[in-house]
Amino acid sequence: MTAPWTDWDHIVKLDPDKTLYADETFTDVCATGTDAIEIGGTLDITAEKMREYLRPCLAACAEHDVACYIEPSHADAVVHEPIPDGFLVPVVLNAGDTFWTTGAHLNWVKSDEHIDWDRTFNEAYIIMNPDASVATYTEANCELDADDVAAYATVAERMLGQDIVYVEYSGMFGDTDVVGAAHDALDEATLFYGGGIGTYDDAYRMRHHADTVVVGDLIHDEGADVVAETVDGAKAAAKERTPDNTA
Ligand SMILES: CC(C)=CCC/C(C)=C/CC/C(C)=C/CC/C(C)=C/COP(=O)(O)OP(=O)(O)O
Ligand SMILES: O=P(O)(O)OC[C@@H](O)CO
Ligand SMILES: [Mg+2]
């Protein structure tokens, strides 16, 4: 069976530390047409906040046939009840502190007796915006050019056996040459891109360089109608890509 994310053009990333826009609901988020929801954030994420989001989110996702995954930023963000479709656990390739490459994972494996391995997958992160909380949190070295990012993508796929590589520009729109270089370096692995997508055109443009675009803050700051336009942009780009240049 192929991995579910190979069919995803668009993901909404919900931050359980933030409220939904105005009086919007999880049903409104699903109705954007996105393929999947990831629940996660860098700062102030607790198991309680995760659970509060997960319950209504799972119900809406089931109704709209949208996948629902937890993206934990630390071991306490992994909640086993209610049960999400899965866990996308980051491994940060360019972290300055190796705790975020293998250390947190070691602690988690030693402390959590309930890890559901059939639902647990990784995302090999390359963090590119030095001003993002996640860059500070992981002390990431963001001084990378396109060749460096391509090489990291190769390390992830060929040496670490990663199925997902995530070029993360959280908070800013990224360099399409850098994202494209990561994409070109990959053979089978899926390339996620996230950061600063705010319009149809942003999503359309970036979906030409990545397999899946992730939209985060926009859902909290501007709401579901604007996010729906980014879904349309990502889907339009996906349709245009020929079998030769798509992964
Ligand atoms: C071992 C386990 C279960 C977890 C560790 C997982 C790791 C390595 C986490 C490192 C940090 C990370 C990559 C978190 C993912 C979520 C993310 C990138 C959220 C977006 O962050 P920002 O946009 O910078 O944060 P805010 O929106 O909170 O400011
Ligand atoms: O919040 P934005 O800038 O859309 O970034 C999305 C996501 O990649 C964050 O982890
Ligand atoms: Mg953010």
Side-chain angles (χ1 to χ4, degrees), residues 5 33 81 122 141 157 205 226 236:
W5 51 82
E81 179 53 48
N122 294 118
N141 168 22
E157 179 172 42
R205 227 174 119 205
V226 183

Side-chain angles (χ1 to χ4, degrees), residues 5-218:
W5 51 82
T6 57
D7 290 330
W8 300 346
D9 298 306
H10 188 282
I11 297 172
V12 172
K13 188 178 290 190
L14 291 175
D15 186 335
D17 190 43
K18 295 177 184 163
T19 54
L20 293 182
Y21 179 73
D23 57 356
E24 286 185 358
T25 63
F26 292 96
T27 300
D28 296 322
V29 178
C30 289
T32 59
T34 191
D35 299 301
I37 291 177
E38 277 190 280
I39 308 179
T42 302
L43 303 175
D44 301 319
I45 307 300
T46 63
E48 200 41 51
K49 284 181 195 170
M50 266 292 173
R51 268 188 221 102
E52 262 172 39
Y53 250 65
L54 198 53
R55 282 200 187 92
C57 192
L58 272 173
C61 284
E63 206 174 300
H64 287 261
D65 198 22
V66 174
C68 181
Y69 284 69
I70 286 181
E71 186 190 51
S73 49
H74 52 79
D76 288 343
V78 178
V79 304
H80 298 291
E81 179 53 48
I83 304 173
D85 291 323
F87 303 91
L88 294 171
V89 180
V91 167
V92 182
L93 300 180
N94 61 329
D97 181 346
T98 57
F99 185 77
W100 302 111
T101 314
T102 53
H105 313 74
L106 177 73
N107 291 353
W108 180 46
V109 167
K110 286 172 80 177
S111 64
D112 187 343
E113 292 168 6
H114 305 288
I115 298 177
D116 183 348
W117 289 112
D118 291 339
R119 290 175 196 266
T120 300
F121 312 96
N122 294 118
E123 297 164 322
Y125 262 78
I126 306 161
I127 295 172
M128 294 301 291
N129 177 8
D131 298 325
S133 320
V134 69
T136 312
Y137 188 66
T138 61
E139 299 169 37
N141 168 22
C142 303
E143 295 290 310
L144 304 174
D145 63 19
D147 287 346
D148 297 324
V149 172
Y152 263 131
T154 298
V155 168
E157 179 172 42
R158 300 282 179 186
M159 302 180 80
L160 303 176
Q162 296 291 296
D163 293 324
I164 300 172
V165 174
Y166 192 137
V167 177
E168 170 67 291
Y169 276 92
S170 181
M172 68 175 276
F173 192 75
D175 181 332
T176 52
D177 289 341
V178 167
V179 180
H183 192 258
D184 290 347
L186 296 175
D187 184 16
E188 294 286 325
T190 298
L191 183 68
F192 285 10
Y193 165 82
I197 290 181
T199 63
Y200 176 103
D201 287 343
D202 291 343
Y204 176 84
R205 227 174 119 205
M206 217 33 115
R207 177 61 183 84
H208 277 286
H209 301 279
D211 299 306
T212 309
V213 298
V214 183
V215 172
D217 290 346
L218 194 69

